[in-house]
């Protein structure tokens, strides 16, 4: 009996809130904003699927390296996916090359970095990419496309890397385009 009264009280409370909201005395919670039409929810797309469905050169990081909350999330992901085990705690290098300097082995644009992490260096080369920069490399970059949970996670990792970039600013996103 007590439980039935509790449930009735909860429903009565919701009904009262609805009534108060309808006459303007209480604000109803605003619905969550919808994703813009035609946009992709990267939290629901694996890195492998995004690579398969996106033409070469068209993958674009939706985040900016000035977004402190995204950079912090990227740092946590960088460590949780063990990127730091090879590239150092903040990406400054370890047994593998740094990811924060201006030497981009295959290119520093968003699309190339995303594909490199997703496919690994061997598959990236099979897709027609060639080494443009030189680093002391212990071994090939392994493919993480089936390990990283979502494209959103990978974009946040790339954003973290960009936020810690310490090379020539002209090369932050790869070799500068010729005018």
């Amino acid at each position: 009996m007590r439980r039935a009264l509790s449930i009735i009280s909860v429903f009565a409370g919701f009904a009262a809130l609805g009534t108060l909201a309808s006459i303007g005395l209480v604000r109803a919670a605003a619905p969550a904003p919808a994703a813009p039409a035609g946009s992709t929810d990267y939290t629901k797309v694996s890195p492998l699927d995004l690579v398969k469905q996106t033409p070469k050169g068209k993958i674009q990081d939706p985040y900016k390296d000035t977004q402190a909350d995204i950079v912090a999330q990227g740092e946590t992901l960088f460590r949780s996916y063990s990127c730091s085990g090879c590239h150092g705690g903040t990406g400054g290098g370890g047994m593998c090359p740094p990811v924060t300097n201006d030497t981009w082995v295959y290119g520093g644009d968003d699309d190339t970095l995303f594909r490199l992490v997703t496919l690994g260096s061997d598959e990236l080369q099979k897709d027609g990419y060639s080494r443009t920069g030189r680093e002391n490399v212990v071994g090939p970059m392994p493919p993480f496309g089936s390990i990283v949970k979502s494209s959103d996670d990978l974009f946040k990792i790339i954003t973290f890397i960009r936020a810690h970039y310490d090379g020539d600013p002209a090369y932050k996103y790869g070799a500068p385009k010729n005018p």
Side-chain angles (χ1 to χ4, degrees):
M1 180 70 164
R2 242 187 191 165
R3 185 168 182 196
L5 288 175
S6 295
I7 292 171
I8 292 170
S9 297
V10 168
F11 284 119
F14 284 136
L17 279 176
T19 302
L20 292 173
S22 69
I23 60 173
L25 295 176
V26 174
R27 276 197 186 151
S39 70
T40 302
D41 182 351
Y42 294 116
T43 63
K44 296 180 179 168
V45 179
S46 76
L48 282 171
D49 287 341
L50 189 62
V51 164
K52 287 176 190 171
Q53 69 191 31
T54 308
K56 252 186 193 179
K58 299 295 182 186
I59 295 175
Q60 185 76 39
D61 190 341
Y63 301 114
K64 303 290 178 222
D65 62 12
T66 54
Q67 293 175 274
D69 60 327
I70 300 299
V71 171
Q73 290 173 48
E75 180 175 15
T76 299
L77 292 166
F78 184 83
R79 291 186 176 144
S80 72
Y81 285 120
S82 300
C83 308
S84 60
C86 294
H87 296 288
T90 57
M95 69 178 181
C96 293
V99 293
T100 56
N101 65 4
D102 53 10
T103 303
W104 299 111
V105 176
Y106 293 95
D109 60 279
D110 291 341
D111 187 86
T112 302
L113 293 178
F114 193 95
R115 290 174 193 276
L116 173 61
V117 175
T118 300
L119 302 173
S121 55
D122 291 344
E123 286 301 312
L124 194 71
Q125 288 177 10
K126 288 178 187 175
D127 277 356
Y129 290 81
S130 58
R131 294 175 67 105
T132 59
R134 295 285 175 231
E135 284 278 7
N136 291 326
V137 178
V138 174
M141 171 72 187
F144 274 78
S146 61
I147 296 169
V148 176
K149 182 178 82 173
S150 70
S151 294
D152 191 63
D153 282 1
L154 184 47
F155 282 131
K156 288 175 179 174
I157 291 169
I158 292 170
T159 302
F160 163 74
I161 290 168
R162 295 232 189 265
H164 288 85
Y165 177 83
D166 65 1
D168 180 342
Y171 290 86
K172 187 172 189 175
Y173 296 93
K177 306 273 188 252
N178 293 330

